[in-house]
Amino acid sequence: MARLAVLASGAGSNFQALVETLKAQRDGDMPHHQCVLLVHDRKDALVADRARRLGVPSVWLGYQGRSRDEVEAGLDGLLRAASVDLVALAGFMRMLGPFFVGAWRARLVNIHPSILPAWPGSHAIERAFASGEEIFGASAHFVDEGMDSGPLIAHDEFRKKSGESLEELEARVHALEHRLYPRVVLDLLDAIETAGR
Ligand code: GAR
């Protein structure tokens, strides 16, 4: 069994898709892989309520009044204490620094709602829509020191329908993320387990 941790800031729909997918993969009574920890950087983020409902332990990571290095050293310690094998960012809206990225590089992934390298950063769907983009999608990638950059693992895409609203497009992109990201994360957890953690 390999152990996943998720870092998130917001609503947590991708977190929930990941947890539910892992729970559905069972060896008899036991989940095959497990999400052992949610870390959120906004104290009242909705994702923390989801973690409670799903029975996943969660920790609030307060950045206020502390340097990024200090916060990330604490985060690194937390993840190691929980014997985490893979860290998935799911709407974690902060840049991670060179110390943390260097320590977790091959075991740190992200989901982004565009076909990278197009539209990195926040509000990607909204900005793409406003510019008249026709093709939408999502990308899963390893994380490096840049903004939504790093080696691509997989992406999926679709063409905007004529007259489709921003809200409809956002719903379709999110539904696509909820299929793509759990698939990618499961494959990585399988590979980690096969390699002997
Ligand atoms: C998702 O669309 C995710 O791809 C995006 O934030 C949203 C979080 O939604 N991430 C980024 O834009 C990263 N640059 P969720 O909290 O419901 O999973």
Side-chain angles (χ1 to χ4, degrees), residues 10-15 90-93 110-113 121-122 148 174 177:
S13 67
N14 280 284
F15 164 72
F92 187 67
M93 298 313 223
N110 182 39
I111 183 78
H112 184 73
S122 52
D148 299 315
H174 290 137
E177 289 185 318

Side-chain angles (χ1 to χ4, degrees), residues 20-182:
E20 287 177 344
T21 301
L22 295 195
K23 283 188 172 176
Q25 311 287 310
R26 304 182 85 80
D27 274 345
D29 281 348
M30 285 292 291
H32 190 54
H33 303 301
Q34 216 179 330
C35 180
V36 295
L37 188 63
L38 167 76
V39 178
H40 57 103
D41 65 319
R42 294 193 185 142
K43 198 169 189 178
D44 52 359
L46 274 177
V47 68
D49 295 335
R50 290 198 206 242
R52 265 189 293 281
R53 283 202 300 276
L54 292 161
V56 176
S58 69
V59 173
W60 170 55
L61 193 67
Y63 275 70
Q64 293 75 8
R66 298 198 290 159
S67 72
R68 184 166 72 179
D69 281 355
E70 194 184 334
V71 174
E72 291 184 359
L75 174 60
D76 179 63
L78 207 63
L79 297 171
R80 290 183 194 281
S83 301
V84 166
D85 298 302
L86 182 71
V87 180
L89 309 187
F92 187 67
M93 298 313 223
R94 278 183 191 271
M95 296 289 290
L96 291 163
F99 160 73
F100 189 83
V101 172
W104 287 87
R105 191 177 301 280
R107 302 215 168 185
L108 185 58
V109 293
N110 182 39
I111 183 78
H112 184 73
S114 76
I115 305 160
L116 289 170
W119 308 108
S122 52
H123 307 295
I125 308 172
E126 211 176 302
R127 287 183 290 118
F129 181 83
S131 85
E133 187 74 80
E134 287 291 319
I135 307 291
F136 287 77
S139 309
H141 64 96
F142 288 106
V143 173
D144 67 9
E145 290 79 1
M147 164 90 77
D148 299 315
S149 57
L152 192 67
I153 303 169
H155 84 272
D156 224 334
E157 63 184 51
F158 60 83
R159 179 172 289 278
K160 176 176 175 282
K161 294 176 194 160
S162 105
E164 193 165 13
S165 70
L166 173 60
E167 291 69 29
E168 287 164 337
L169 264 171
E170 284 177 332
R172 275 218 283 164
V173 171
H174 290 137
L176 183 157
E177 289 185 318
H178 300 162
R179 292 190 300 274
L180 174 70
Y181 204 27

